[in-house]
Amino acid sequence: QTSGTVDSTKFECTSEARIKWWKSRSVLGRYVGFLMGLLVNCEAHWKRFDQLFEALGAFARCGYHESIYLIRCGLILRLLDIFLGDAGNIPPSALDGPRTTERARARRFLMGDKFSNPNFTPLMALLDLLVRSTIVFDKSDGHANFLFPPGLSPDALAVARTEDRWRILPRRDADHLTANKALQLMMEQGPSVAASVKG
């Protein structure tokens, strides 16, 4: 069990800067960048956008470093913006990428209709994996706790023990995660439950 407060004297905690994924020249980086670009205003395609989250999830499940790469691309805030909508209070300037101005200009597309709701399960599963790849600092008390839900992913825990260091979730991501208590409670119950509650 990995829940509880982290002994910061035992491990070196590191936090890394954002990646300008839209400038990547590698084949893999361009592929991820293409998927990231599709997230902008993807709400208009809510009936099928679960496939986009599944594709990003497949990349994240390739390993720990792939998950960290997606975090550094700013994917967590993108997912929160899509899931929470205007209630998330995420400013367009916080969303990394060359097309962030589209969010500022465009009217947010309302998802769902009287017959069906969007499938958020792949989105929440991806968010769960990314968050559990790092340690989240709760800005209310300044302590590092395993949140959403308690425990690092097996890959993250193995790397942390091998390298003797923990990776910290970027502060912007952590602030928006810890500020939304409803989201915290939902994620503690698991991605599928959170998705069904939202729907």
Side-chain angles (χ1 to χ4, degrees), residues 27 30 55 64 68 79 86 89 125 139 145 147 149 158-159 176 183:
V27 174
R30 288 181 178 180
Y64 171 74
I68 294 299
L79 297 178
D86 292 333
N89 295 318
K139 65 179 181 180
N145 295 295
L147 304 172
V159 172
H176 284 285
L183 177 65

Side-chain angles (χ1 to χ4, degrees), residues 8-66:
S8 60
T9 62
K10 186 176 181 182
F11 295 96
E12 175 190 1
C13 297
T14 60
S15 181
E16 295 167 30
R18 288 282 203 246
I19 293 174
K20 294 183 177 179
W21 48 266
W22 59 94
K23 293 186 177 181
S24 176
R25 295 184 179 182
S26 72
V27 174
L28 192 57
R30 288 181 178 180
Y31 170 72
V32 172
F34 173 75
L35 296 178
M36 291 286 296
L38 293 177
L39 291 173
V40 179
N41 298 322
C42 71
E43 295 97 325
H45 308 284
W46 62 268
K47 290 186 178 181
R48 294 180 300 274
F49 71 176
D50 52 330
Q51 299 171 12
L52 175 57
F53 305 128
E54 288 171 354
L56 286 164
F59 178 79
R61 288 190 297 274
C62 287
Y64 171 74
H65 294 288
E66 285 77 6

Side-chain angles (χ1 to χ4, degrees), residues 19-150:
I19 293 174
K20 294 183 177 179
W21 48 266
W22 59 94
K23 293 186 177 181
S24 176
R25 295 184 179 182
S26 72
V27 174
L28 192 57
R30 288 181 178 180
Y31 170 72
V32 172
F34 173 75
L35 296 178
M36 291 286 296
L38 293 177
L39 291 173
V40 179
N41 298 322
C42 71
E43 295 97 325
H45 308 284
W46 62 268
K47 290 186 178 181
R48 294 180 300 274
F49 71 176
D50 52 330
Q51 299 171 12
L52 175 57
F53 305 128
E54 288 171 354
L56 286 164
F59 178 79
R61 288 190 297 274
C62 287
Y64 171 74
H65 294 288
E66 285 77 6
S67 294
I68 294 299
Y69 180 82
L70 291 177
I71 291 173
R72 295 183 64 194
C73 286
L75 181 57
I76 287 180
L77 283 188
R78 283 282 183 189
L79 297 178
L80 290 176
D81 183 60
I82 294 167
F83 183 72
L84 298 174
D86 292 333
N89 295 318
I90 299 175
S93 59
L95 301 174
D96 296 307
R99 302 170 64 193
T100 53
T101 53
E102 292 187 25
R103 167 65 71 217
R105 293 194 303 263
R107 178 183 298 177
R108 191 180 292 274
F109 194 92
L110 296 179
M111 297 179 283
D113 55 33
K114 62 180 180 179
F115 300 108
S116 59
N117 292 314
N119 178 16
F120 283 110
T121 301
L123 182 153
M124 295 305 297
L126 173 58
L127 183 61
D128 174 75
L129 176 59
L130 296 181
V131 171
R132 293 195 306 114
S133 296
T134 61
I135 290 175
V136 181
F137 272 101
D138 188 338
K139 65 179 181 180
S140 64
D141 58 18
H143 295 295
N145 295 295
F146 298 117
L147 304 172
F148 317 116

